Amino acid sequence: MRTSPFRGAVMIRHILRKVNDAAGETLGIRLIRERDLYPWQLHQPGGSCQTTNLPPSAEAYLRPDNPRLIELKERYGKCDARVTTPAIWEDGILAAADIAYFRRDNAFVWQEPRGTRFNELAYAASYYALKASGADDLLTLLDEDGLFGAHVFRIDGRNVSRDLLDSVREIDFVRTHLPLANTRTNILDIGAGYGRLPHRLSLVTQDTVNIYATDAIAESTFVSEFYLKFRVAERVSIIPLDEFETFIASTPIDLAINIHSFSECSLVAIDWWVERLAANKVKQLLVIPNHVDAASQRCLTNRGEDMELIFERHGYIAVIREPRYPDGILQRYGIDPSLIALFSLSPRAPPNIER
C-alpha cells in the first residue's frame, strides 16, 4: 500500500522532530527554520569595523618590533613572576595586527557576536537603556569615531561601540557612589588594557580628578601610552609595572578599578595587586568580573575561583553589588551583562607587605 504525500510529509516531520529532540538532549543542537532567526544569527552580524586606515602617527609606531615595546617586554620580564606569569594573556593572544588595530575585536575587548552575545539587538537595547537612565548626559558628552578598528553600530543616528557603552555605565556607577565633584580624587585603573576607561574618565571629570593606568602586560602599557597621548588625555598617567610599587607608596589612591582583568589572572597575581593596595591604604576597590557565583553573586575568576577570599583577607569588604543593567531581561541579553562590585577597606590597617 502506497503512502500518500501528505502522510509521508507528516512522517518526515515526526522523524525530524525526534532527531531534533535527541540532538538537543545530547549535543545541545536544535533545527530551527531560517525565517525564525534574526539576520545576525545567520552570519550577518551588522556593524562596521574600520580596518583600512589609521591616524598618520599610528601606522609606523604601533608595530611589534617597536623599540619601546621591546624595552617594556624586557623590563616586565624582570618583574615579580607572581604578577607577570599569565593565566590567560600568554604570548600570541594578540595578533601582530592587534597592536595597530587595538580597538578591534580581540583580547582587549570582545565586540563581535559570540552566540547570543554582542549582537546588534543587544547593542541597541543596551544603548537605549543607558539613554533612558541617569547616564544619558554621559552619552551626550562622549562620542565614538571608530578609530583603531573599533566595531561600530549606527544607532539613534550616531556611532555606538562597546567601548562607549561600557564606559558610560562604569563612569555613571563611579560618580553615583563616590564623591568626584570638588574633591581631589586619584583613580587607579589596574589592567587598563589600551586605556579606554582612563580616556573616557578624563573627558567627563573635573580637573581635581587624576587618573592612573597600569598593567602587567607590556603590550597593554605600550598601546595605552600611545592611545592616551593620541587622545590628549592630560590628566591620565601611565605607570609601567616596574615603577608601580614606588608609585603606589608615594601616591594616595582613593579608588582602584579592575574591569575583567582579575578574572583573567591567577589567584597569586590577584593577591599581589590587592596586597599592595591594602598596604598603601587604597580606600575603595571597584571590580567587574567575568563570572559570578549564581547564588552569592561573589566575584569569580575564569577558573571559577572565589577572588573575594583574597579581598577579604586584605581587609576589603563588599559594600555594593549592582548588575550592569537594572532590568532583568537586559541583564540577560545586554552587552556584557556582568556585575559591578564595590569593596571598601576596613578601618583596621593591614600589615606591611614584604618587599
Side-chain angles (χ1 to χ4, degrees), residues 68 72 75-76 213-215 221 225 238-245:
R68 174 58 175 169
L72 286 168
R75 287 167 57 180
Y76 282 31
T214 192
D215 207 295
T221 300
E225 281 181 343
I238 303 295
I239 312 300
L241 182 63
D242 56 353
E243 299 174 14
F244 177 76
E245 296 202 59

Side-chain angles (χ1 to χ4, degrees), residues 11 19 22 62 71 176 226 239 277 351:
M11 291 176 63
V19 171
L62 294 172
E71 175 201 347
T176 298
F226 173 88
I239 312 300
L277 296 179

Side-chain angles (χ1 to χ4, degrees), residues 38-67:
Y38 290 104
W40 52 264
Q41 293 174 304
L42 296 169
H43 309 291
Q44 302 174 39
S48 63
C49 176
Q50 183 181 13
T51 57
T52 55
N53 60 356
L54 291 171
S57 58
E59 191 165 7
Y61 188 84
L62 294 172
R63 298 172 55 90
D65 59 354
N66 184 299

Side-chain angles (χ1 to χ4, degrees), residues 12-24:
I12 290 173
R13 283 199 297 270
H14 179 72
I15 292 170
L16 288 175
R17 189 176 298 112
K18 287 278 192 181
V19 171
N20 196 21
D21 291 343

